[in-house]
Amino acid sequence: MPRLTSRFWVDAYLARLRLADIPAFVVAHGDDTGGVVLVKLNMLDGNATLFQRTFDLMTDTRVWSELEAGPEQDVDAAVARQRGFDPDLWVIEVEDRAGRHLLDQDGLA
């Protein structure tokens, strides 16, 4: 099955967030073709959650899983560690007090 480029997925994700009036922006621009994407959900109360896409071998599907959650500075430190391992990494920051990130919607895994 053909895969979407990272840039195409990021652009589509940001467009979907805009349609739902959820502010989001690119914090780190990774490799356009195959860069891994992390999504940071900033709750605007000092807390955040960092999501990464993983592959579930049991269901043979891609899913979004929580990589880090807690105080925003801890989540930012986790992002910095990940960027240290992978400079081609994308980081998208979503800002929503209600905790909406849309990653659980069809077509985003």
Side-chain angles (χ1 to χ4, degrees):
M1 177 158 131
R3 290 183 48 191
L4 297 175
T5 66
S6 299
R7 176 62 184 255
F8 187 89
W9 187 91
V10 166
D11 289 344
Y13 180 54
L14 293 173
R16 193 177 288 190
L17 289 166
R18 272 192 305 277
L19 288 172
D21 291 324
I22 301 172
F25 52 94
V26 175
V27 174
H29 185 289
D31 180 71
D32 283 345
T33 305
V36 172
V37 178
L38 296 180
V39 175
K40 175 186 168 188
L41 173 61
N42 185 341
M43 300 288 291
L44 303 173
D45 64 357
N47 292 299
T49 304
L50 185 64
F51 296 94
Q52 69 177 352
R53 191 165 38 182
T54 59
F55 193 78
D56 183 349
L57 294 173
M58 298 299 285
T59 61
D60 197 34
T61 59
R62 289 178 293 169
V63 296
W64 286 94
S65 61
E66 191 176 291
L67 180 63
E68 183 82 28
E72 186 176 6
Q73 67 263 20
D74 293 350
V75 173
D76 288 340
V79 169
R81 282 191 304 275
Q82 293 297 316
R83 291 209 23 92
F85 298 132
D86 184 359
D88 291 330
L89 186 72
W90 286 82
V91 180
I92 309 302
E93 183 161 341
V94 177
E95 296 181 340
D96 190 67
R97 291 186 194 282
R100 298 174 301 157
H101 50 69
L102 308 183
L103 295 173
D104 51 355
Q105 290 189 350
D106 288 339
L108 290 177

